[in-house]
Amino acid sequence: MLIIGEKINAARAAVRKTIQQRNESAIIELATAQAAAGADYIDVNGGDERPGAEAANLRWLVDVVQSHTDRPVCIDSADPSAVEAALSLARGRPIVNSVSLEAGRLEALLPLLRRADCMVVALCMSDEGPPKAVEDRLDRARRLVEILVAAGKKPADIIVDPCFFPVCSDPGQAQAVFEAIRRIRREMGETLVGGGVSNSSYGLPGRKWINLAMLTGAIIHGMNAAIVDPCQPGIIPVIRAAEVASGADPSCANYISAHRQGKLG
Amino acid sequence: MLIIGEKINAARAAVRKTIQQRNESAIIELATAQAAAGADYIDVNGGDERPGAEAANLRWLVDVVQSHTDRPVCIDSADPSAVEAALSLARGRPIVNSVSLEAGRLEALLPLLRRADCMVVALCMSDEGPPKAVEDRLDRARRLVEILVAAGKKPADIIVDPCFFPVCSDPGQAQAVFEAIRRIRREMGETLVGGGVSNSSYGLPGRKWINLAMLTGAIIHGMNAAIVDPCQPGIIPVIRAAEVASGADPSCANYISAHRQGKLG
């Protein structure tokens, strides 16, 4: 299971302010806490409406995160110039988050992906809108993987994001995303599958419970990459327990190791 | 989802002592706390090595529980005379927990089940030992339902327990039980499926996380009856969230109602 810590995201107003004020200690705290909790990658999103600001934000974020943790970054941007700026500084094998089939997005990022030694999140979005059912997700996943493999990426470097949508607005969403995960894993061999489950709970009270149920269900259906807040109580224990329930941790070695490290709370 | 509160069980040393000492206030506390937390039924297990004691224990337990809650009891015994004693006092439609294909057990309980207006847990155990895989569970479920229906029970009054076994001893257990749940639900229409998931975590540290993952996975695969401790933090919220994720609560009405009642913690 590849765990991507999602907290450094300018979509959250408090973090956006932190980034714009170049409050280094606050970003260090977010990065080191996530690394200590179990994040394998630290997501950095420096979204900013001011022209040119996103690339500068990302450069700063990559530098701060890398100076204080040994985790590679997950570069969370659809802006090719910002991604390029971040990739030029990134150590190890970063993740580019994300490409999709939306017009312009893939074409602009593909040259960068071709050159960089990185992983990539392939989001099942296209100009026809969000995927509606299982087949939509499968079709888009196949097209994205084909394009990325043609650009030189290995299947094991691609994380297909099947798109988690709010479960309250469409009763079939949860089962559709679970089934898509199961089929992508079965059909696409080494390609990883994962995404941010927290969208699932949008519009509902007690969001953490929906997020935990969706995270567990997704892992049981084969999800092996997760964009989560590893510091939130329950997230790491639930991931480790769901890996036991899914058969991904057949000897329970990972689970017992998490216990020994004090990560089951 | 039918929630059976499991706390009044003489297999737990403290509860056994409480029962043997006829500590009424302790039993009232266990019963009312479970009812308040969301139990639809209160399980009563009065297991006792002393001859004749189990029937007396169960009579006392049924009386105490019914005098202080409006929930029907789930009579947890394999001893026909104890079940008979408890059934004679039980109000509403109790559950008999459980019959199985083990020699003598079904034959002895069937006459009681024929006469009583009750539900029944049909445990997929037989003299060939515990079920090993999905097909074992399906075969046994089919035989039990056939026998019980021939004895006059309606499919909707039968709760097939697919048997939850420790996941640490056999890597395939979790997936086998999930798949069995899915197929029993698909094949047997109105028959309920459920059991006690807490056996799954036997032998592992941090048992509550394994129990929550197994509970979520089982509900997502169609489990609609659960023998749980509803007072344990997280159990009721996880059940309600898993019903959303499984599609059993398509409009999220149950989930939102649980929130309004303050049951999501």
Side-chain angles (χ1 to χ4, degrees):
Chain A
M1 176 70 57
L2 193 151
I3 299 173
I4 303 168
E6 70 185 6
K7 295 186 84 165
I8 305 180
N9 191 322
R12 295 167 59 200
V15 176
R16 185 166 57 248
K17 199 171 158 195
T18 295
I19 295 169
Q20 291 180 344
Q21 295 175 340
R22 295 293 187 262
N23 180 344
E24 190 170 333
S25 62
I27 296 298
I28 293 170
E29 168 59 26
L30 289 175
T32 55
Q34 291 184 100
D40 301 305
Y41 286 80
I42 308 293
D43 194 84
V44 285
N45 175 313
D48 201 311
E49 286 160 11
R50 301 167 303 174
E54 185 173 354
N57 289 347
L58 271 184
R59 269 196 302 266
W60 178 72
L61 286 171
V62 170
D63 182 49
V64 174
V65 169
Q66 291 186 160
S67 303
H68 296 87
T69 80
D70 58 356
R71 308 302 149 104
V73 291
C74 175
I75 301 163
D76 187 356
S77 171
D79 172 350
S81 63
V83 172
E84 187 168 22
L87 274 174
S88 69
L89 294 175
R91 283 197 315 245
R93 301 188 74 233
I95 300 172
V96 172
N97 178 15
S98 60
V99 298
S100 76
L101 292 165
E102 290 157 294
R105 187 151 169 180
L106 191 56
E107 294 82 342
L109 286 168
L110 220 46
L112 299 175
L113 293 173
R114 224 182 275 273
R115 288 198 302 270
D117 182 23
C118 66
M119 295 178 73
V120 57
V121 176
L123 188 67
C124 293
M125 290 290 285
S126 84
D127 289 321
E128 291 103 71
K132 288 180 187 63
V134 178
E135 281 306 332
D136 277 2
R137 290 177 163 92
L138 264 287
D139 285 348
R140 294 170 184 194
R142 287 186 199 111
R143 280 152 64 195
L144 282 161
V145 169
E146 192 179 290
I147 292 165
L148 290 165
V149 167
K153 291 292 152 204
K154 287 184 295 216
D157 290 337
I158 303 167
I159 303 164
V160 170
D161 183 337
C163 295
F164 289 84
F165 293 127
V167 292
C168 68
S169 57
D170 176 355
Q173 271 307 328
Q175 296 99 281
V177 81
F178 293 154
E179 178 64 9
I181 291 168
R182 196 181 67 79
R183 290 185 55 192
I184 293 167
R185 280 297 310 279
R186 194 174 58 182
E187 187 178 307
M188 300 188 190
E190 291 181 310
T191 302
L192 299 169
V193 182
V197 301
S198 52
N199 219 15
S200 305
S201 61
Y202 188 79
L204 283 172
R207 292 186 62 175
K208 76 167 176 173
W209 299 112
I210 299 288
N211 292 342
L212 291 176
M214 291 298 295
L215 181 61
T216 303
I219 293 170
I220 288 176
H221 285 79
M223 185 167 85
N224 51 8
I227 304 177
V228 293
D229 172 1
C231 301
Q232 194 188 306
I235 289 284
I236 296 296
V238 156
I239 288 174
R240 295 297 167 226
E243 287 178 300
V244 170
S246 76
D249 183 13
S251 63
C252 304
N254 251 351
Y255 185 78
I256 292 167
S257 159
H259 167 69
R260 292 200 176 129
Q261 291 165 40
K263 289 188 173 163
L264 301 186
Chain B
M1 176 70 57
L2 191 151
I3 299 174
I4 303 168
E6 70 186 5
K7 295 186 84 165
I8 303 180
N9 191 322
R12 297 167 59 200
V15 176
R16 185 165 58 247
K17 199 172 157 193
T18 296
I19 295 170
Q20 291 180 344
Q21 295 174 340
R22 297 291 187 264
N23 181 342
E24 189 170 335
S25 62
I27 296 298
I28 293 169
E29 168 59 25
L30 290 174
T32 54
Q34 292 185 99
D40 300 305
Y41 285 79
I42 308 293
D43 193 84
V44 285
N45 175 312
D48 200 310
E49 288 160 7
R50 301 168 303 175
E54 185 173 352
N57 290 347
L58 271 184
R59 270 196 301 266
W60 178 71
L61 286 172
V62 170
D63 182 50
V64 174
V65 169
Q66 292 186 160
S67 302
H68 295 87
T69 80
D70 58 356
R71 308 302 148 104
V73 290
C74 175
I75 301 164
D76 188 355
S77 171
D79 172 350
S81 64
V83 173
E84 188 167 21
L87 274 174
S88 70
L89 295 175
R91 283 197 314 245
R93 298 189 74 234
I95 300 172
V96 172
N97 178 16
S98 59
V99 298
S100 77
L101 292 165
E102 291 157 294
R105 188 150 168 180
L106 192 56
E107 294 82 342
L109 286 168
L110 221 46
L112 299 176
L113 294 173
R114 225 182 274 272
R115 287 197 302 270
D117 182 23
C118 65
M119 294 179 72
V120 57
V121 176
L123 188 66
C124 292
M125 291 290 284
S126 84
D127 289 321
E128 291 102 70
K132 288 179 186 64
V134 178
E135 281 305 332
D136 278 0
R137 289 177 164 92
L138 264 285
D139 285 346
R140 293 169 185 194
R142 287 185 198 111
R143 279 152 64 196
L144 282 162
V145 169
E146 193 179 289
I147 292 165
L148 290 166
V149 166
K153 291 291 152 204
K154 286 184 295 213
D157 289 338
I158 303 168
I159 302 164
V160 170
D161 183 336
C163 293
F164 289 83
F165 293 126
V167 292
C168 68
S169 57
D170 176 355
Q173 272 307 328
Q175 297 99 284
V177 80
F178 292 155
E179 178 63 9
I181 291 168
R182 196 181 66 79
R183 289 185 54 193
I184 293 168
R185 281 297 309 280
R186 194 175 57 184
E187 188 179 306
M188 300 187 189
E190 290 181 311
T191 302
L192 298 170
V193 182
V197 301
S198 53
N199 219 15
S200 305
S201 61
Y202 188 78
L204 284 172
R207 292 186 62 174
K208 77 168 176 174
W209 300 111
I210 299 289
N211 291 343
L212 291 177
M214 291 298 296
L215 181 61
T216 304
I219 293 170
I220 288 174
H221 284 80
M223 185 168 86
N224 50 8
I227 304 176
V228 293
D229 173 1
C231 300
Q232 193 187 307
I235 290 284
I236 296 296
V238 157
I239 288 175
R240 295 296 167 227
E243 286 178 300
V244 170
S246 76
D249 183 14
S251 63
C252 304
N254 252 349
Y255 185 78
I256 292 168
S257 158
H259 167 69
R260 292 199 176 131
Q261 292 166 38
K263 289 189 173 163
L264 301 186

